[in-house]
C-alpha cells in the first residue's frame, strides 16, 4: 500500500476540476479512434491513473483494462469501479496502486498504454525517462502508447499578460488560467515549475479570490482548487511539442497527433506512438 501524500488534496477536490485539466469529449473521441488501431483482437490495456472519462469510454470489444495509480486517494475518489463491468466493450476492469517507474507487470504483456497528462508529474530526464523505459518494457511488440501532453508554447508568455487577460475576462475558465500561469512560470525542461511557487505568485497577485469569483462569475470552489498547491515542493514538467517528441523518440515512433479545438487545445495535444 502506498502512503497518502499531497495528492490527497487533489483527489478530494477532483469533482471540482474541469476541462482542459480533465479530458473533453473531443479528447475522448480521438483516443477511442486511436485505440481502435490496436492490432490485438482483445487488447490488454494499461491506464496510467484512474481518469474516469477514459475508463468509461468505448473500448474494442473484449478489452481487459488495468488502471494503476500512484495515489490511494485518487483510486478511492476517482476510480469508476463496479460501474465499468461489462460496459463500453470492457471484458474486465481492475485497479491497483503502484509506481509507473516500476510497474508490477510482466514484459510485453500490454497491447495499449494510455494516460492523460500524468507524465507531467515527473522530473526530466531522470524519472520521466525511467517511466518511458518501463512502459516500453511492458508493451507488446508494435504496441500503442497514447498520451495527452500538457505542452507549454515554444515562446513562453509573460506572467503579467496572463493576469491582465484574467482581469479582463478574456480567459474561458479558471483551469485554463491555472495552466497558463503554471506554464508562464516554468523554467527550462530540467527545472519544471514548483507547485508552491505557482500558489505564491497567485496569492500575491490575487489576495481576494472571492472578489475575482464575483467579477468573473466563476464558482469560488473552482478558484480555490489552486490552494492544493500551497507549500507543495512537487514540480510539474511541461514539455514543448518538440521536446516531447524528442523525449519519446528513443522508445516510440509517433503515429498520429490530435489537436483539440477547445480553448488552450494547442497545449493539450494527444500523441499516439508505436513501440519500437
Amino acid at each position: 500500500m502506498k502512503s497518502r501524500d499531497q495528492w490527497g488534496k487533489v483527489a478530494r477536490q477532483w469533482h471540482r476540476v474541469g476541462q482542459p485539466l480533465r479530458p473533453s469529449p473531443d479528447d475522448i473521441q480521438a483516443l477511442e479512434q486511436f485505440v481502435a488501431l490496436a492490432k490485438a483482437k482483445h487488447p490488454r490495456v494499461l491506464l496510467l491513473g484512474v481518469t474516469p472519462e477514459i475508463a468509461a469510454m468505448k473500448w474494442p470489444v473484449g478489452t481487459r483494462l488495468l488502471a494503476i495509480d500512484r495515489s490511494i486517494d485518487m483510486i478511492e475518489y476517482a476510480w469508476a469501479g463496479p460501474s465499468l463491468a461489462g460496459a463500453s466493450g470492457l471484458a474486465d476492469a481492475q485497479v491497483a496502486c503502484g509506481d509507473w517507474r516500476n510497474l508490477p507487470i510482466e514484459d510485453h504483456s500490454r497491447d495499449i498504454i494510455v494516460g492523460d497528462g500524468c507524465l507531467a508529474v515527473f522530473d526530466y530526464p531522470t524519472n520521466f525517462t525511467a517511466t518511458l523505459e518501463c512502459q516500453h518494457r511492458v508493451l507488446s511488440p508494435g504496441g500503442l502508447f497514447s498520451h495527452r501532453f500538457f505542452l507549454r508554447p515554444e515562446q513562453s508568455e509573460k506572467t503579467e499578460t496572463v493576469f491582465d487577460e484574467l482581469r479582463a475576462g478574456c480567459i474561458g475558465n479558471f483551469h485554463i488560467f491555472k495552466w497558463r500561469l503554471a506554464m508562464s512560470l516554468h523554467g527550462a525542461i530540467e527545472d519544471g515549475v514548483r507547485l508552491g511557487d505557482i500558489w505564491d505568485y497567485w496569492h500575491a497577485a490575487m489576495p481576494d479570490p472571492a472578489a475575482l469569483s464575483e467579477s468573473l462569475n466563476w464558482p469560488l470552489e473552482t478558484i480555490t482548487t489552486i490552494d492544493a498547491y500551497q507549500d507543495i515542493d512537487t514540480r510539474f514538467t511541461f514539455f514543448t511539442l518538440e521536446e516531447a517528441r524528442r523525449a519519446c523518440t528513443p522508445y516510440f515512433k509517433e503515429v498520429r497527433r490530435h489537436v483539440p479545438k477547445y480553448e488552450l487545445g494547442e497545449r493539450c495535444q494527444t500523441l499516439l506512438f508505436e513501440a519500437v
Side-chain angles (χ1 to χ4, degrees):
M1 296 288 284
K2 300 290 184 183
S3 61
R4 297 175 187 268
D5 55 20
Q6 70 266 17
W7 295 106
K9 295 181 181 180
V10 177
R12 286 188 289 274
Q13 62 182 18
W14 184 246
H15 63 287
R16 301 176 183 173
V17 176
Q19 300 169 7
L21 276 63
R22 293 176 68 153
S24 73
D26 187 354
D27 299 310
I28 295 300
Q29 183 179 36
L31 185 56
E32 289 173 345
Q33 294 171 355
F34 286 176
V35 301
L37 299 174
K39 299 172 184 177
K41 186 175 181 180
H42 302 297
R44 302 159 296 175
V45 177
L46 171 63
L47 170 58
L48 302 178
V50 289
T51 308
E53 293 87 347
I54 294 180
M57 75 180 202
K58 296 176 182 177
W59 295 97
V61 174
T63 293
R64 287 165 287 170
L65 176 69
L66 171 62
I68 294 184
D69 201 290
R70 58 199 303 212
S71 167
I72 296 171
D73 296 279
M74 283 301 298
I75 292 173
E76 290 182 355
Y77 282 90
W79 175 241
S83 64
L84 296 174
S88 304
L90 290 176
D92 183 49
Q94 300 181 17
V95 66
C97 191
D99 189 334
W100 302 328
R101 297 163 298 182
N102 187 24
L103 291 166
I105 302 176
E106 295 180 359
D107 293 1
H108 313 307
S109 62
R110 296 288 143 176
D111 304 299
I112 305 172
I113 297 178
V114 296
D116 189 73
C118 52
L119 296 182
V121 303
F122 293 111
D123 63 278
Y124 179 83
T126 304
N127 286 303
F128 181 88
T129 300
T131 303
L132 287 191
E133 288 177 346
C134 190
Q135 292 176 50
H136 187 266
R137 174 184 66 79
V138 303
L139 267 178
S140 59
L144 300 179
F145 163 52
S146 180
H147 188 75
R148 189 166 70 110
F149 284 88
F150 296 128
L151 303 168
R152 75 185 197 282
E154 294 287 348
Q155 182 65 44
S156 180
E157 64 180 335
K158 295 181 179 179
T159 305
E160 294 77 9
T161 300
V162 180
F163 275 102
D164 288 344
E165 293 192 14
L166 173 70
R167 297 184 182 96
C170 298
I171 298 178
N173 66 44
F174 185 74
H175 300 299
I176 294 172
F177 161 77
K178 186 163 57 176
W179 248 211
R180 286 181 60 182
L181 171 62
M183 291 179 184
S184 74
L185 297 172
H186 198 285
I189 192 61
E190 295 82 4
D191 300 324
V193 56
R194 178 179 173 271
L195 300 186
D197 292 342
I198 299 171
W199 188 88
D200 289 343
Y201 208 105
W202 154 256
H203 185 66
M206 289 289 176
D208 187 1
L212 180 70
S213 171
E214 184 175 353
S215 66
L216 296 180
N217 195 29
W218 287 354
L220 182 59
E221 67 173 11
T222 299
I223 294 175
T224 55
T225 57
I226 199 171
D227 291 340
Y229 295 172
Q230 185 177 2
D231 299 325
I232 298 299
D233 290 329
T234 299
R235 292 177 176 270
F236 280 165
T237 302
F238 297 120
F239 291 89
T240 66
L241 177 59
E242 291 309 312
E243 286 171 341
R245 284 169 162 162
R246 285 197 299 270
C248 294
T249 295
Y251 311 96
F252 304 103
K253 175 180 68 175
E254 185 177 343
V255 178
R256 294 194 181 183
R257 177 169 64 102
H258 174 70
V259 184
K261 296 180 174 59
Y262 51 73
E263 183 179 350
L264 214 70
E266 73 282 358
R267 304 195 200 181
C268 303
Q269 300 185 32
T270 299
L271 303 183
L272 178 66
F273 299 93
E274 181 180 309
V276 296

